[in-house]
Amino acid sequence: MYKGIVEFIRETYGDRISIPLHEPCFSGNEREYVADTIESSFVSSVGEYVNRFERDIATFCGAKFAVATVNGTAALHIALKLSGTGAGDEVLTQPLTFVATANAISYTGALPVFIDVDRDTLGLSPEKLEDFLKVNIVIRKGFAVNKKSGRRISACVPMHTFGHPCRIDEIAAVCRKYKIALVEDAAESIGSLYKGKHTGTFGKAGVLSFNGNKIITTGGGGMIITDDANFAKKAKHITTTAKIPHKWEYVHDETGYNYRLPNINAALGCAQLEKLKGFLVKKRLLADTYATYFKSIGIPFVLEPEYARSNYWLNAILLKNRAERNKFLEYSNSNGVMTRPAWRLMNKLRMYKSCQCGNLENANWLEDRIVNIPSSVTK
Ligand SMILES: *Cc1c(COP(=O)(O)O)cnc(C)c1O
């Protein structure tokens, strides 16, 4: 059976010795725009491509503002900080995520608290979130306070796993009810819609990533999207060393960060964004091909929830158990087809082991079964 799957993936990707999980595709104006930054000498912190990339991303996502950053982790750090998370707070998130989500929470001085995901969306479960809050918090002076730790729960960071939108409007409603700021980790879900609205636009702010393995890349890069003009203004300020604009003086009015996206990276991003719609069409075709095949051999393939439109960033199948998962990982990787398990759950990593957790039955179940299969945009 595993031989058949590997052969099918090989046929799908044509004649190649090894097939990566996800590689970038540069078939548009990438060379021209990058060369343009070199010729103009504006490769670094100043330049028109940054402004254009921010405008184009805001338009694409239907957000009012977008602020480019050096990577998605930095974007998440600043989005959390500006949403009011600071030292000693707690932030609710899912254990099934890339480590950047938990790390960004840590950078603010807050502690992550891990809440379970849904088995169908792979994203934060609104029911599990509400169950946790009902039992564990009291509202004190307009804030949600964890009865057990005495700490304020300042924010909630759901993640749209592999590009599949989670039940974000239900999560947003729970957050409103318990007075918790919503920051979406939409790093994997550019182009994914929840009931027609772009992921990352449901809370105070959303965060995108343009790392090399994402659907479009700037080499490294990220973006904060928001509808709040003041939030966007503060984000721009604090990510550009908090320098007060002046013709020659260097004056900074708070401890800022050097988190801005260089112009040369933004140039790559502008060219990639021009291709995104075409990429999304091809990814959907690839997912359809996989879905039909895996149905025919009786292996569950992760599909977009019926209310959503996924970008199908990383395709995933669910194997029977951990032993079968490991067998398939071993077979496919030694036969030139790159496959990967889901991330080790955050609550099992050394630095997050002592964090508070809800009941994580679904995350544990999924961790044993998920395998990501090659998902690059086909030629
Ligand atoms: C890629 C990613 C990020 C951001 O990663 P960077 O490499 O810093 O751009 C954050 N969260 C998730 C879930 C991701 O997949």
Side-chain angles (χ1 to χ4, degrees):
M1 164 120 91
Y2 294 157
K3 186 155 180 273
I5 298 175
V6 163
E7 274 164 14
F8 182 80
I9 295 173
R10 286 199 163 283
E11 274 164 38
T12 305
Y13 275 97
D15 195 18
R16 302 181 58 154
I17 292 165
S18 66
I19 299 163
L21 194 65
H22 201 287
E23 65 183 350
C25 172
F26 302 119
S27 55
N29 292 320
E30 288 85 358
R31 266 169 208 280
E32 184 192 328
Y33 294 174
V34 170
D36 186 34
T37 66
I38 295 170
E39 274 147 34
S40 70
S41 88
F42 285 97
V43 294
S44 191
S45 49
V46 181
E48 262 316 299
Y49 283 109
V50 175
N51 301 334
R52 175 172 156 192
F53 191 41
E54 289 177 340
R55 270 199 314 273
D56 291 353
I57 286 285
T59 304
F60 182 86
C61 298
K64 290 210 175 85
F65 306 95
V67 177
T69 57
V70 71
N71 56 52
T73 314
L76 211 41
H77 175 197
I78 297 307
L80 276 166
K81 188 176 163 70
L82 295 182
S83 306
T85 292
D89 290 336
E90 287 177 351
V91 176
L92 307 173
T93 192
Q94 59 200 61
L96 182 72
T97 184
F98 177 54
V99 71
T101 317
N103 284 346
I105 293 167
S106 271
Y107 298 164
T108 65
L111 291 168
V113 173
F114 299 111
I115 306 293
D116 208 6
V117 295
D118 281 326
R119 283 195 196 185
D120 55 347
T121 69
L122 320 178
L124 191 71
S125 163
E127 286 85 20
K128 294 286 194 90
L129 178 66
E130 178 138 38
D131 287 350
F132 178 89
L133 291 167
K134 251 190 223 155
V135 176
N136 289 289
I137 72 131
V138 283
I139 300 282
R140 233 179 255 151
K141 295 182 187 156
F143 293 119
V145 174
N146 186 335
K147 284 192 272 191
K148 197 163 160 193
S149 65
R151 297 173 191 273
R152 182 172 73 113
I153 295 178
S154 56
C156 173
V157 187
M159 199 276 281
H160 303 289
T161 309
F162 309 144
H164 302 305
C166 62
R167 294 189 168 80
I168 193 63
D169 60 352
E170 292 169 53
I171 292 170
V174 175
C175 288
R176 271 194 303 275
K177 182 168 159 191
Y178 290 91
K179 310 194 185 308
I180 294 168
L182 174 61
V183 173
E184 279 173 87
D185 184 343
E188 305 183 351
S189 64
I190 187 167
S192 298
L193 308 177
Y194 177 90
K195 295 183 183 168
K197 191 167 153 48
H198 200 285
T199 50
T201 62
F202 288 81
K204 192 80 207 158
V207 163
L208 308 176
S209 167
F210 309 108
N211 189 39
N213 62 342
K214 298 301 199 295
I215 200 165
I216 60 168
T217 184
T218 57
M223 194 74 79
I224 300 169
I225 55 177
T226 180
D227 284 340
D228 180 334
N230 193 38
F231 191 99
K233 199 171 150 218
K234 281 188 188 159
K236 190 76 192 171
H237 184 64
I238 201 169
T239 54
T240 53
T241 70
K243 183 178 181 293
I244 298 171
H246 189 275
K247 269 191 189 137
W248 55 79
E249 295 269 24
Y250 295 102
V251 181
H252 307 258
D253 62 357
E254 64 183 305
T255 306
Y257 298 83
N258 182 11
Y259 275 179
R260 62 198 147 190
L261 182 71
N263 201 44
I264 190 168
N265 299 84
L268 196 56
C270 287
Q272 285 269 283
L273 188 52
E274 291 171 353
K275 306 294 282 186
L276 179 54
K277 282 204 173 124
F279 289 173
L280 290 168
V281 171
K282 287 184 168 172
K283 290 218 159 247
R284 180 160 284 274
L285 282 173
L286 175 64
D288 283 347
T289 305
Y290 275 144
T292 307
Y293 170 71
F294 284 108
K295 194 167 182 195
S296 79
I297 61 165
I299 288 184
F301 174 79
V302 180
L303 289 166
E304 66 194 357
E306 97 286 339
Y307 52 74
R309 197 167 173 86
S310 174
N311 65 5
Y312 282 101
W313 170 55
L314 275 192
N315 292 296
I317 54 174
L318 300 177
L319 295 179
K320 250 195 215 101
N321 51 46
R322 203 174 185 94
E324 288 300 311
R325 180 200 81 163
N326 291 345
K327 252 191 246 167
F328 178 62
L329 286 168
E330 176 57 43
Y331 182 80
S332 48
N333 284 294
S334 23
N335 283 281
V337 169
M338 189 169 163
T339 58
R340 288 290 181 264
W343 312 276
R344 180 70 50 87
L345 298 184
M346 291 304 108
N347 56 298
K348 297 181 183 173
L349 300 181
R350 194 177 55 81
M351 58 286 191
Y352 301 121
K353 245 183 197 149
S354 53
C355 293
Q356 192 177 352
C357 296
N359 164 333
L360 302 181
E361 57 185 341
N362 294 333
N364 282 309
W365 189 89
L366 288 165
E367 188 196 30
D368 283 345
R369 289 166 177 77
I370 289 173
V371 176
N372 288 122
I373 55 178
S375 303
S376 313
V377 169
T378 48
K379 294 285 165 351

